Amino acid sequence: MSAAELIERGRGLERSGDHAGALTAFTQAAEMDPSASRAHACIARVRERTNDLPGARTAAERAIELDPKANGARIVLASVDRREGNHAAARAHLERLLSPA
């Protein structure tokens, strides 16, 4: 199974509410293709949804490092910052997301 197929499998599992299964599939995709920004962004999303905020931040930052246009990862970072009470940082992530650059 390719990294892209693992990501699609993970998305299906996530939609069905199987966050543990989704995280496993996304992690396998990231291990198979460490440069897959999309896999890291998906990991970030699941970790944020399961209240693993440090893990969500790490995965989102990695996704953005790999692809500065990883908008989903920026949304996760904004959400993590907001939940941690860092509203200025959350706003900065959202402004960057909306800025035409």
Side-chain angles (χ1 to χ4, degrees):
M1 188 174 281
S2 71
E5 290 169 327
L6 284 166
I7 290 169
E8 288 309 309
R9 181 172 186 265
R11 291 178 76 194
L13 291 166
E14 185 180 9
R15 280 190 299 274
S16 73
D18 183 358
H19 292 114
L23 185 58
T24 297
F26 296 144
T27 300
Q28 288 173 344
E31 289 170 353
M32 183 177 288
D33 182 359
S35 67
S37 173
R38 190 168 150 217
H40 294 282
C42 290
I43 291 168
R45 186 178 61 241
V46 171
R47 290 195 181 281
E48 192 266 335
R49 287 183 179 165
T50 59
N51 298 313
D52 176 4
L53 301 185
R57 179 180 300 283
T58 298
E61 288 172 347
R62 179 67 179 138
I64 292 167
E65 179 182 310
L66 292 166
D67 178 8
K69 295 181 181 180
N71 293 337
R74 287 200 188 281
I75 292 169
V76 170
L77 278 178
S79 178
V80 169
D81 281 330
R82 181 193 56 79
R83 291 175 66 184
E84 291 177 341
N86 191 346
H87 299 283
R91 181 181 175 134
H93 289 301
L94 294 175
E95 286 175 349
R96 183 145 185 203
L97 181 73
L98 298 172
S99 69

